[in-house]
Amino acid sequence: MENCVFCKIMAGEIPSTKVYEDEEIVIFKDIEPKAKIHLLCVPRDHFALLSEADDARAALLGRTLKKIGALAPSLGLSDGYRLVVNQGENAGQTVHHLHIHILGGQSLPWE
Ligand code: 5GP
Ligand code: ZN
């Protein structure tokens, strides 16, 4: 997708610090970390919103969550982590390519 920063990162046109990649997802470090560990897990498939997910994308997202769970220890997240998926304007979504924030490496404030 043209003009999509995450598609450009996955195409190697914008540098990033990748920590994992396979045929359907890439995980790289957020450029403006909001926790000691702040990763972005990005499906290669370009779509912005969960409301655009058909059955194939739903299955992709399910596999993606399972992979995050399996990868967590190797990403330094053995003590726990938080997943965030910003959707739309009120959530402050700035990149319109669906992504899962992975936050951890420290105790995370909730209230
Ligand atoms: P959103 O607000 O859309 O949920 O999150 C987008 C995230 O992408 C932000 O946390 C922002 O710091 C990150 N981001 C934006 N541009 C880049 C970039 O060029 N490289 C990396 N690694 N992260 C980026
Ligand atoms: Zn994209």
Side-chain angles (χ1 to χ4, degrees):
M1 181 61 73
E2 263 178 67
N3 293 325
C4 170
V5 64
F6 290 170
C7 283
K8 285 183 179 167
I9 283 173
M10 289 188 286
E13 292 166 19
I14 294 175
S16 68
T17 306
K18 288 184 187 137
V19 298
Y20 176 82
E21 66 182 313
D22 65 22
E23 66 286 357
E24 51 187 14
I25 62 165
V26 179
I27 303 177
F28 52 87
K29 293 186 181 179
D30 196 292
I31 203 168
E32 278 184 56
K34 305 239 175 348
K36 272 194 186 157
I37 297 175
H38 186 174
L39 305 171
L40 298 170
C41 178
V42 184
R44 292 187 187 276
D45 185 12
H46 176 100
F47 62 106
L49 297 169
L50 291 169
S51 56
E52 297 170 61
D54 55 12
D55 285 351
R57 283 174 173 165
L60 164 66
L61 292 170
R63 288 192 298 277
T64 300
L65 290 177
K66 185 179 173 193
K67 284 176 194 174
I68 291 170
L71 288 166
S74 67
L75 298 175
L77 298 164
S78 298
D79 291 338
Y81 54 93
R82 179 172 296 154
L83 304 182
V84 174
V85 182
N86 288 324
Q87 293 285 276
E89 198 178 332
N90 277 1
Q93 185 178 5
T94 57
V95 178
H96 298 283
H97 181 137
L98 191 128
H99 51 282
I100 303 169
H101 294 261
I102 306 173
L103 300 151
Q106 63 175 82
S107 178
L108 298 162
W110 183 246
E111 292 190 41

mmCIF file of all heavy atoms in Angstrom, residues 20-27 44 67 71:
data_model
loop_
_atom_site.group_PDB
_atom_site.id
_atom_site.type_symbol
_atom_site.label_atom_id
_atom_site.label_comp_id
_atom_site.label_asym_id
_atom_site.label_seq_id
_atom_site.Cartn_x
_atom_site.Cartn_y
_atom_site.Cartn_z
ATOM 1 N N TYR A 20 11.455 -9.909 15.038
ATOM 2 C CA TYR A 20 10.878 -11.179 14.560
ATOM 3 C C TYR A 20 10.197 -10.920 13.227
ATOM 4 O O TYR A 20 9.586 -9.866 13.034
ATOM 5 C CB TYR A 20 9.838 -11.719 15.559
ATOM 6 C CG TYR A 20 9.144 -12.970 15.056
ATOM 7 C CD1 TYR A 20 9.745 -14.218 15.184
ATOM 8 C CD2 TYR A 20 7.897 -12.897 14.427
ATOM 9 C CE1 TYR A 20 9.123 -15.365 14.700
ATOM 10 C CE2 TYR A 20 7.265 -14.036 13.939
ATOM 11 C CZ TYR A 20 7.884 -15.263 14.078
ATOM 12 O OH TYR A 20 7.277 -16.383 13.589
ATOM 13 N N GLU A 21 10.280 -11.870 12.329
ATOM 14 C CA GLU A 21 9.448 -11.802 11.127
ATOM 15 C C GLU A 21 9.217 -13.191 10.580
ATOM 16 O O GLU A 21 10.047 -14.092 10.738
ATOM 17 C CB GLU A 21 10.053 -10.890 10.059
ATOM 18 C CG GLU A 21 11.331 -11.313 9.439
ATOM 19 C CD GLU A 21 11.817 -10.265 8.421
ATOM 20 O OE1 GLU A 21 11.020 -9.799 7.576
ATOM 21 O OE2 GLU A 21 13.005 -9.920 8.478
ATOM 22 N N ASP A 22 8.062 -13.367 9.990
ATOM 23 C CA ASP A 22 7.778 -14.605 9.260
ATOM 24 C C ASP A 22 6.934 -14.244 8.052
ATOM 25 O O ASP A 22 6.857 -13.069 7.668
ATOM 26 C CB ASP A 22 7.148 -15.669 10.182
ATOM 27 C CG ASP A 22 5.779 -15.296 10.706
ATOM 28 O OD1 ASP A 22 5.093 -14.444 10.087
ATOM 29 O OD2 ASP A 22 5.372 -15.863 11.743
ATOM 30 N N GLU A 23 6.304 -15.235 7.445
ATOM 31 C CA GLU A 23 5.593 -14.975 6.187
ATOM 32 C C GLU A 23 4.357 -14.093 6.368
ATOM 33 O O GLU A 23 3.891 -13.486 5.407
ATOM 34 C CB GLU A 23 5.231 -16.301 5.492
ATOM 35 C CG GLU A 23 4.227 -17.181 6.215
ATOM 36 C CD GLU A 23 4.762 -17.908 7.451
ATOM 37 O OE1 GLU A 23 5.975 -17.790 7.760
ATOM 38 O OE2 GLU A 23 3.957 -18.581 8.122
ATOM 39 N N GLU A 24 3.845 -13.980 7.595
ATOM 40 C CA GLU A 24 2.616 -13.192 7.746
ATOM 41 C C GLU A 24 2.674 -12.032 8.749
ATOM 42 O O GLU A 24 1.784 -11.184 8.720
ATOM 43 C CB GLU A 24 1.399 -14.084 8.029
ATOM 44 C CG GLU A 24 1.527 -15.071 9.127
ATOM 45 C CD GLU A 24 0.308 -16.017 9.196
ATOM 46 O OE1 GLU A 24 -0.501 -16.080 8.255
ATOM 47 O OE2 GLU A 24 0.174 -16.687 10.224
ATOM 48 N N ILE A 25 3.686 -11.977 9.592
ATOM 49 C CA ILE A 25 3.799 -10.835 10.518
ATOM 50 C C ILE A 25 5.252 -10.374 10.637
ATOM 51 O O ILE A 25 6.186 -11.136 10.365
ATOM 52 C CB ILE A 25 3.275 -11.166 11.941
ATOM 53 C CG1 ILE A 25 4.099 -12.297 12.585
ATOM 54 C CG2 ILE A 25 1.787 -11.480 11.932
ATOM 55 C CD1 ILE A 25 3.881 -12.409 14.099
ATOM 56 N N VAL A 26 5.387 -9.118 11.065
ATOM 57 C CA VAL A 26 6.702 -8.574 11.426
ATOM 58 C C VAL A 26 6.547 -7.912 12.792
ATOM 59 O O VAL A 26 5.519 -7.292 13.075
ATOM 60 C CB VAL A 26 7.187 -7.530 10.390
ATOM 61 C CG1 VAL A 26 8.536 -6.957 10.794
ATOM 62 C CG2 VAL A 26 7.274 -8.140 9.010
ATOM 63 N N ILE A 27 7.557 -8.056 13.649
ATOM 64 C CA ILE A 27 7.567 -7.358 14.936
ATOM 65 C C ILE A 27 8.836 -6.505 14.981
ATOM 66 O O ILE A 27 9.938 -7.011 14.741
ATOM 67 C CB ILE A 27 7.550 -8.346 16.125
ATOM 68 C CG1 ILE A 27 6.325 -9.271 16.043
ATOM 69 C CG2 ILE A 27 7.540 -7.583 17.458
ATOM 70 C CD1 ILE A 27 6.257 -10.335 17.146
ATOM 71 N N ARG A 44 1.460 -8.547 7.658
ATOM 72 C CA ARG A 44 1.882 -8.053 6.340
ATOM 73 C C ARG A 44 0.688 -7.567 5.520
ATOM 74 O O ARG A 44 0.827 -6.673 4.671
ATOM 75 C CB ARG A 44 2.640 -9.151 5.584
ATOM 76 C CG ARG A 44 3.987 -9.476 6.227
ATOM 77 C CD ARG A 44 4.797 -10.439 5.370
ATOM 78 N NE ARG A 44 6.002 -10.879 6.049
ATOM 79 C CZ ARG A 44 7.159 -10.196 6.055
ATOM 80 N NH1 ARG A 44 7.257 -9.060 5.414
ATOM 81 N NH2 ARG A 44 8.207 -10.673 6.709
ATOM 82 N N LYS A 67 1.170 -16.459 18.344
ATOM 83 C CA LYS A 67 2.621 -16.279 18.145
ATOM 84 C C LYS A 67 3.196 -15.330 19.190
ATOM 85 O O LYS A 67 4.294 -15.569 19.712
ATOM 86 C CB LYS A 67 2.902 -15.726 16.741
ATOM 87 C CG LYS A 67 2.787 -16.757 15.642
ATOM 88 C CD LYS A 67 2.988 -16.089 14.288
ATOM 89 C CE LYS A 67 2.525 -17.030 13.178
ATOM 90 N NZ LYS A 67 2.566 -16.370 11.869
ATOM 91 N N LEU A 71 6.227 -16.206 21.572
ATOM 92 C CA LEU A 71 7.488 -15.455 21.433
ATOM 93 C C LEU A 71 7.839 -14.655 22.680
ATOM 94 O O LEU A 71 9.000 -14.256 22.857
ATOM 95 C CB LEU A 71 7.383 -14.477 20.261
ATOM 96 C CG LEU A 71 7.387 -15.067 18.854
ATOM 97 C CD1 LEU A 71 6.932 -14.008 17.849
ATOM 98 C CD2 LEU A 71 8.788 -15.571 18.495
#
